[in-house]
Amino acid sequence: MGSIRKDPRNPKRWQARFRSPDGKQKMRSFDRQGDAQVFLNSTEVEIRQGQWVDPNAGKIPYSDWHTEWWATTVNLRPSTRSRDDGYFHRYVIPTFGSRHIGSINQMDVRGWAAGLVARDLAPATVTKAYQLLAKSMVAAVDAGLLARTPCRNVDLPRIERQEMRFLTPLEVRSLSEAINPRYRALVLLGAYGGLRIGEMAGLKVGRVNPLKGTVEVAETLVEVAGHLVCNQPKTRAGRRVVGLPSFVMTALKEHMAAFCDNAPDSLLFTAPQGGPLRVPAFRRRVWQRAVNESGLAPLRLHDLRHTAISLWIYAGANIKEVAVRAGHTSVAFTLDRYGHLYGDSDLMLRNKLDAMADDAENQTIPQVHRLGGGPGGVTLS
């Protein structure tokens, strides 16, 4: 139990004394005895309920807390860690780095977020920076440094979904003929197989199965801070086997004959002078030139994947098939992104139902004879 007594340093003030959960003596002074008693009562309730947080625990600069917390954050892919590091050092630490975490309140966070918006940063950038700050503050709560996070009820800008581009088969052909012949098969694989560029950059010769007409997606190759990093797909669904049209498999076989040494562990697609495909350089030096020459600008590499999914849906694939082929973790995600493309399939379904009914109209209904004269009688046709 705590106690109330005169403050020995100032007899006009009252001192509330109590022991914290770790057994240390704590105290706080007040001008009035009643205020000291109210504080002591509420503090003892918080301690009993396991909700008490030492006010001095929050007197750690945010930059120090970020360093400590970030060092214990695991299960991040190198590309994700590098990206998030950039957000912290560009947008979070310049504002909050020198502040004690316990001094940062909800209005501080609201003002910071509004300031990012005022700088005309993309809504997705503002949202991501806020999410990272919020994660670090929730971790401070979990560590017993804060009673609650200041990242709550903060207005964020609305993220407008980026427009997806879907190529027609003729446009895919035009692009595949405009690009350096070394990457014709890459365009076809992306536009009909739906592989991401990192998945195609990491695809090995041994993952191509000409007999079955499939490729196995098991590795990705990405460039992080100038270094190439080979990873497994992010999710279990991302590791998958994708069936390909015969003409795409033919293009892959021609590509392997012309540009690969056919060792199973060799990369299928390499840089023009050999070695791993560095996507940023490929985008600048090869992709953009082909896009311009084929008259398809603006076009992103990821639009090949959007094109593949749209073609699968147009060809009649159901939503589950699309999700599995694309490596999505859930059908719900696939519906959210591509559900609007099923409008045409609904029309095709209705046309088929009309055709079935029309066919029935042109048929003769068989004669039915009943024996026994009642609903329970035997029917003969």
Side-chain angles (χ1 to χ4, degrees):
M1 292 290 292
S3 62
I4 305 292
R5 71 172 190 176
K6 288 282 189 177
D7 190 332
R9 297 169 300 180
N10 185 349
K12 293 183 179 181
R13 290 173 62 83
W14 294 86
Q15 195 176 76
R17 300 167 63 88
F18 63 95
R19 288 195 179 277
S20 62
D22 59 5
K24 293 182 180 179
Q25 184 75 46
K26 302 288 183 179
M27 62 189 71
R28 181 172 170 183
S29 294
F30 297 86
D31 289 335
R32 298 186 301 179
Q33 183 179 10
D35 293 340
Q37 189 64 58
V38 170
F39 168 79
L40 184 60
N41 292 343
S42 63
T43 298
E44 289 179 340
V45 169
E46 290 174 354
I47 291 175
R48 285 198 300 270
Q49 295 178 345
Q51 298 175 347
W52 182 80
V53 175
D54 186 349
N56 292 322
K59 293 181 179 179
I60 174 176
Y62 178 83
S63 59
D64 292 349
W65 166 244
H66 166 264
T67 299
E68 181 180 346
W69 165 70
W70 196 234
T72 62
T73 302
V74 297
N75 296 326
L76 290 178
R77 295 159 68 87
S79 55
T80 302
R81 182 175 286 276
S82 176
R83 179 202 64 192
D84 291 354
D85 263 336
Y87 276 96
F88 274 118
H89 287 94
R90 282 194 299 271
Y91 306 120
V92 180
I93 292 177
T95 298
F96 297 115
S98 61
R99 293 274 303 272
H100 290 168
I101 60 174
S103 73
I104 301 171
N105 60 45
Q106 193 256 4
M107 284 304 297
D108 291 332
V109 177
R110 285 178 65 90
W112 165 74
L116 294 182
V117 173
R119 289 166 55 183
D120 288 330
L121 296 177
T125 299
V126 176
T127 299
K128 186 62 182 177
Y130 170 79
Q131 289 172 341
L132 290 171
L133 173 63
K135 283 184 180 180
S136 68
M137 288 302 194
V138 168
V141 173
D142 292 339
L145 303 180
L146 297 177
R148 62 175 179 166
T149 173
C151 298
R152 58 186 190 279
N153 300 324
V154 174
D155 291 335
L156 296 172
R158 178 171 180 163
I159 299 176
E160 298 293 341
R161 181 167 291 165
Q162 196 167 16
E163 191 73 24
M164 289 183 285
R165 177 84 179 275
F166 307 114
L167 300 182
T168 66
L170 184 59
E171 289 172 329
V172 173
R173 176 187 163 195
S174 173
L175 181 63
S176 71
E177 293 178 354
I179 204 164
N180 182 321
R182 189 183 193 94
Y183 303 108
R184 175 176 179 270
L186 181 148
V187 169
L188 296 178
L189 179 59
Y192 288 94
L195 274 67
R196 302 173 179 88
I197 184 59
E199 293 170 340
M200 291 191 285
L203 190 62
K204 296 179 179 178
V205 170
R207 303 295 187 187
V208 181
N209 190 327
L211 294 178
K212 293 184 177 180
T214 62
V215 294
E216 181 184 3
V217 180
E219 297 93 11
T220 64
L221 187 66
V222 295
E223 189 169 339
V224 179
H227 301 283
L228 288 171
V229 178
C230 184
N231 292 314
Q232 292 185 344
K234 275 196 222 180
T235 64
R236 184 178 300 176
R239 177 156 188 166
R240 62 201 186 277
V241 175
V242 181
L244 300 172
S246 59
F247 74 93
V248 176
M249 184 53 65
T250 297
L252 287 178
K253 289 190 287 187
E254 292 173 351
H255 172 86
M256 288 188 289
F259 302 108
C260 301
D261 61 15
N262 290 327
D265 286 336
S266 297
L267 291 172
L268 184 65
F269 299 110
T270 55
Q273 305 304 320
L277 187 66
R278 292 179 174 266
V279 175
F282 169 77
R283 186 184 290 111
R284 288 193 312 270
R285 300 172 185 173
V286 179
W287 172 261
Q288 200 55 55
R289 179 181 299 176
V291 167
N292 293 336
E293 289 181 1
S294 58
L296 296 173
L299 186 71
R300 300 164 302 168
L301 275 165
H302 201 69
D303 288 327
L304 290 180
R305 178 170 165 83
H306 292 321
T307 294
I309 293 174
S310 71
L311 293 175
W312 299 342
I313 293 173
Y314 183 78
N318 63 49
I319 195 69
K320 178 64 175 177
E321 291 172 317
V322 171
V324 171
R325 289 176 66 89
H328 291 160
T329 54
S330 72
V331 170
F333 176 84
T334 310
L335 276 172
D336 181 57
R337 295 301 307 276
Y338 302 99
H340 63 286
L341 298 179
Y342 277 91
D344 291 340
S345 66
D346 180 70
L347 178 60
M348 287 188 287
L349 171 62
R350 284 180 279 155
N351 289 339
K352 288 180 180 179
L353 293 174
D354 281 333
M356 292 166 61
D358 288 342
D359 186 55
E361 287 290 335
N362 295 326
Q363 296 182 35
T364 301
I365 299 176
Q367 295 295 318
V368 177
H369 302 284
R370 293 184 178 277
L371 301 179
V378 179
T379 60
L380 299 176
S381 58

